[in-house]
Amino acid sequence: MTKRGGKRDGAGRPKGSNRYGEPTRPVRIPESQVERVLRFVGEREYALPLYASGVSAGFPSPADDYLEGVLDLNSHLVREPAATFFVRARGDSMIDAGIHDGDLLVVDRSVEATDGKVVIVSVNGELTVKRLRRSKGKSWLLPENPDYPPIALHEEDETHLWGVVTNVIHPL
Amino acid sequence: MIALADCNNFYVSCERVFLPSLEGRPVIVLSNNDGCAVARSNEAKAIGIPMGAPYHQVKRKCERNGVAVFSSNYELYGDMSRRVVSVLSHFAPGMEVYSIDESFLDLRGVSDPLSLGKRMREKVRKWTGIPISVGLGRTKTLAKLANRLAKKDGMGCLQIDEGNRSVLERIPIEEIWGVGRRLGIRLRRVGLGDAWSFIQVPPSSVRAIGGVTLERTRRELAGVSCLEMEEVPQPRRNTCCSRSFGKPVTSLRELEEAVSNYSVRATRKARSEGSLACGIQVFLSTNRFREDQPQYSNSVALSFDEPTDDPIRIVSNAKTLLRSIYRKGYFYKKAGVVLLGLICGRSRQSLLFEEHGDGRRQAFVEAMEEVAVRYGETACFLAAQGVRRSWGMRRRNRTPRYTTNWSELPEVRFST
């Protein structure tokens, strides 16, 4: 430790002791946008409701009593846009997992591949859909179709896990 | 501390994400019109396929060694790049996207940059499938150098300090960012063959050899930051759209189609940035590598009366310019359009007698652009752009546009 100057260990407020309750970091914002960003952060924090109509003089709309929010399917199905890919399922049915031939699968690579998840995994250089079983330190890839045998997934094969299927879009 | 995150063999890595069977195999990606190798996997480098090699020169070698050859798929690379940048942006408060596959990150105040660099690599790899290398240094030039070494020795993440003699002594002068081959020769002539000896020389004598730019490089290498982070991209002054033709083009009609298309595309680029063009340049040229054929190239420009983003107007001007420089009897290889003096749409100054104050025309153009942007370029286009487009680019081995086109999504099988 130096006597003067430099960083002192344990100085400053402890991490996460702010009003957001989690670590924060500085971000550059164009000056003209500072207020909007602060407002946005505040809204997230306190979940300020949005109302249907703007403030106006005159008769209040009875709908103002109800919260308005546009339902966005993207934000519902895609949690991490940077890590989410769409793939098309092809071949024998995996109906027990709720997937049919031609269905659109939403695949999130940021999700941890844990026991029971339906995953995309490359087997012999080809992308396939399997169910992942993890137990007692071992991993298996189970096809939902009993005609095919389960495949052991060794530790060095973990990189072959491509992503986790989070949603199936099935047209009727 | 500054970090340079650079995607390894980026185009090849993009292809491998969707074709895992390419893992461990030699792979190359060719430039527009399948001309030269612009990206090579490590295996392809090991076979001895040089960067930028014309494909016809290495074709035999590729076939003998089972090299997988792809046309470039810029839709895919652009989208994957966007994803990588988005993941990286969570790691640092300041970031400069330097190119499609490289970003500088400002890590000032980070206590353990090396471990942050490792986390960056892991997260980008997991989320996007793209392997990256991270170089760390006190300046951009050091970060760039560190990145190069990180790639070379396969470490993936590496830091270089300006005082690290044993490392800097082993770096050939040409490998320093901003030096290159030509300056390297001149520096070697005065006995400066490696990075360490280079920073022992006072900056002023470096200036005598390579000017201010080289002096800046020398200071950067010694840990004094001279290159600032450019976080906000400068608005473009010009925007260019040009392509080489898939086959030689001779007729004016085909050239007109091509130039009309480039004009529309350049206009769209400008519009997406909210810019208006003050002028336009059109150029064309024959294939200068075909020494057996007569050569001709020319360009011409004009200024608009008032800045515009009206594609119809820009196209008709482009065609007029093209006709003025077109000569019969040549095999044209390339043509292009440059929109000049782009200005911000809001700072538009109108003419005293405004020609296009016509609101209906404005609305029509808006609608046309909206349709083309939403439903694709083939949904709505000017007749001048042509229907057959026989001059189009050759991209014979392009993979599907997996991430940007609903009809080209990757397919997964249930069982193997």
Side-chain angles (χ1 to χ4, degrees):
Chain A
M1 288 299 291
T2 53
K3 285 217 179 83
R4 60 178 90 92
K7 195 178 151 193
R8 284 169 297 126
D9 284 337
R13 284 185 303 167
K15 275 193 176 146
S17 68
N18 50 51
R19 62 185 186 144
Y20 304 105
E22 54 180 291
T24 57
R25 60 191 171 88
V27 179
R28 281 175 207 267
I29 298 164
E31 276 188 19
S32 61
Q33 303 297 315
V34 168
E35 248 181 55
R36 286 183 62 189
V37 173
L38 286 179
R39 215 180 312 137
F40 176 73
V41 174
E43 273 171 7
R44 284 257 289 222
E45 196 54 29
Y46 306 112
L48 290 182
L50 294 164
Y51 288 95
S53 57
V55 181
S56 61
F59 198 73
S61 157
D64 274 353
D65 290 345
Y66 299 91
L67 296 183
E68 185 217 21
V70 177
L71 297 181
D72 177 16
L73 208 46
N74 266 321
S75 63
H76 181 66
L77 296 176
V78 179
R79 215 171 46 96
E80 294 289 354
T84 300
F85 295 85
F86 299 115
V87 305
R88 184 81 62 193
R90 287 276 176 235
D92 303 355
S93 101
M94 196 166 162
I95 289 173
D96 291 350
I99 305 174
H100 304 71
D101 183 37
D103 281 358
L104 187 69
L105 310 183
V106 181
V107 181
D108 188 338
R109 294 183 57 114
S110 74
V111 172
E112 222 42 62
T114 50
D115 180 49
K117 294 270 190 213
V118 173
V119 294
I120 304 293
V121 58
S122 88
V123 176
N124 301 324
E126 197 183 351
L127 294 179
T128 62
V129 199
K130 303 273 180 195
R131 194 178 288 278
L132 185 68
R133 273 278 160 251
R134 291 198 197 270
S135 95
K136 295 173 194 146
K138 295 216 169 123
S139 300
W140 299 85
L141 297 170
L142 308 181
E144 219 78 344
N145 187 330
D147 295 344
Y148 296 94
I151 302 169
L153 186 74
H154 303 293
E155 213 167 308
E156 65 270 20
D157 297 334
E158 288 284 323
T159 53
H160 294 177
L161 283 174
W162 199 90
V164 171
V165 179
T166 56
N167 291 281
V168 181
I169 299 175
H170 175 70
L172 292 176
Chain B
M1 192 64 69
I2 289 175
L4 174 63
D6 186 358
C7 303
N8 302 347
N9 311 327
F10 181 54
Y11 298 171
V12 170
S13 297
C14 289
E15 301 291 350
R16 277 179 171 165
V17 170
F18 298 94
L19 291 172
S21 59
L22 297 173
E23 215 58 65
R25 274 186 64 191
V27 181
I28 62 171
V29 174
L30 303 177
S31 60
N32 283 342
N33 285 314
D34 298 349
C36 329
V38 288
R40 305 159 298 153
S41 71
N42 289 346
E43 297 80 7
K45 289 175 190 171
I47 296 169
I49 297 170
M51 186 62 177
Y55 180 53
H56 66 93
Q57 276 176 20
V58 293
K59 195 171 176 197
R60 291 270 314 277
K61 192 178 250 176
C62 288
E63 285 164 358
R64 265 203 315 275
N65 291 285
V67 177
V69 179
F70 294 97
S71 309
S72 26
N73 184 346
Y74 286 112
E75 291 85 351
L76 175 65
Y77 310 153
D79 182 67
M80 294 303 280
S81 168
R82 189 180 55 78
R83 290 166 185 268
V84 171
V85 167
S86 152
V87 175
L88 286 173
S89 68
H90 292 291
F91 284 93
M95 180 170 180
E96 174 187 344
V97 179
Y98 184 69
S99 70
I100 193 167
D101 57 354
E102 288 173 290
S103 294
F104 286 105
L105 288 94
D106 185 350
L107 301 187
R108 249 175 292 179
V110 172
S111 55
D112 186 356
L114 210 54
S115 80
L116 188 76
K118 283 180 189 144
R119 288 215 306 280
M120 267 188 237
R121 293 191 64 212
E122 279 160 22
K123 192 166 174 185
V124 170
R125 178 73 199 237
K126 177 160 169 44
W127 283 37
T128 68
I130 301 291
I132 66 168
S133 299
V134 178
L136 297 157
R138 228 162 18 156
T139 63
K140 279 180 162 181
T141 307
L142 283 168
K144 185 105 182 169
L145 200 56
N147 190 290
R148 204 162 171 147
L149 287 190
K151 262 203 196 115
K152 216 179 220 176
D153 66 7
M155 294 257 298
C157 183
L158 195 130
Q159 177 173 340
I160 292 192
D161 297 310
E162 57 277 12
N164 198 332
R165 180 169 183 169
S166 58
V167 171
L168 291 173
E169 265 179 349
R170 281 187 290 123
I171 295 166
I173 194 86
E174 300 79 13
E175 288 192 10
I176 300 167
W177 190 40
V179 175
R181 207 172 49 87
R182 239 182 252 175
L183 270 172
I185 294 172
R186 291 165 70 181
L187 288 166
R188 276 182 187 280
R189 227 177 269 154
V190 293
L192 303 176
D194 63 276
W196 179 256
S197 61
F198 182 52
I199 58 174
Q200 302 314 308
V201 181
S204 52
S205 39
V206 169
R207 186 196 286 222
I209 301 172
V212 196
T213 327
L214 191 65
E215 184 188 346
R216 212 179 286 151
T217 301
R218 147 77 181 76
R219 283 185 195 274
E220 279 256 316
L221 209 53
V224 182
S225 184
C226 305
L227 303 170
E228 287 298 311
M229 297 282 285
E230 285 166 25
E231 283 161 29
V232 184
Q234 297 296 313
R236 276 186 251 231
R237 292 279 177 72
N238 301 318
T239 183
C240 175
C241 183
S242 88
R243 301 281 150 83
S244 297
F245 302 131
K247 62 178 181 61
V249 167
T250 53
S251 77
L252 178 62
R253 190 189 57 79
E254 283 177 302
L255 280 173
E256 279 181 347
E257 273 182 25
V259 163
S260 301
N261 271 282
Y262 302 155
S263 304
V264 168
R265 254 177 244 164
T267 310
R268 201 160 285 153
K269 247 195 269 179
R271 287 178 75 99
S272 74
E273 292 170 0
S275 304
L276 303 169
C278 294
I280 182 173
Q281 182 190 36
V282 173
F283 61 89
L284 78 167
S285 73
T286 52
N287 186 354
R288 63 192 170 88
F289 295 109
R290 290 294 303 269
E291 284 162 6
D292 53 320
Q293 292 173 354
Q295 298 290 314
Y296 173 69
S297 67
N298 204 346
S299 81
V300 60
L302 71 76
S303 301
F304 300 125
D305 299 337
E306 56 168 332
T308 182
D309 62 355
D310 177 345
I312 300 171
R313 193 162 165 223
I314 290 173
V315 163
S316 80
N317 277 295
K319 283 166 69 179
T320 312
L321 290 177
L322 174 73
R323 272 178 233 127
S324 76
I325 54 173
Y326 171 78
R327 300 285 175 274
K328 239 176 140 168
Y330 292 99
F331 295 99
Y332 293 101
K333 175 69 183 164
K334 189 174 187 174
V337 170
V338 188
L339 294 183
L340 304 163
L342 294 183
I343 57 164
C344 183
R346 266 165 296 178
S347 58
R348 154 187 228 161
Q349 250 184 350
S350 47
L351 272 185
L352 191 51
F353 303 100
E354 197 163 343
E355 189 182 345
H356 295 289
D358 187 351
R360 282 175 61 195
R361 168 72 165 265
Q362 185 82 8
F364 171 73
V365 167
E366 299 287 325
M368 198 186 95
E369 284 298 295
E370 174 100 22
V371 169
V373 169
R374 197 185 299 178
Y375 299 103
E377 285 182 11
T378 50
C380 178
F381 55 91
L382 299 174
Q385 292 176 256
V387 180
R388 271 195 298 145
R389 304 187 192 175
S390 48
W391 41 270
M393 251 204 302
R394 201 167 51 210
R395 301 208 289 189
R396 216 168 286 152
N397 297 318
R398 201 204 64 207
T399 46
R401 291 167 290 186
Y402 301 110
T403 60
T404 55
N405 197 309
W406 285 114
S407 59
E408 299 180 21
L409 297 181
E411 297 198 340
V412 294
R413 315 228 133 239
F414 291 119
S415 38
T416 18

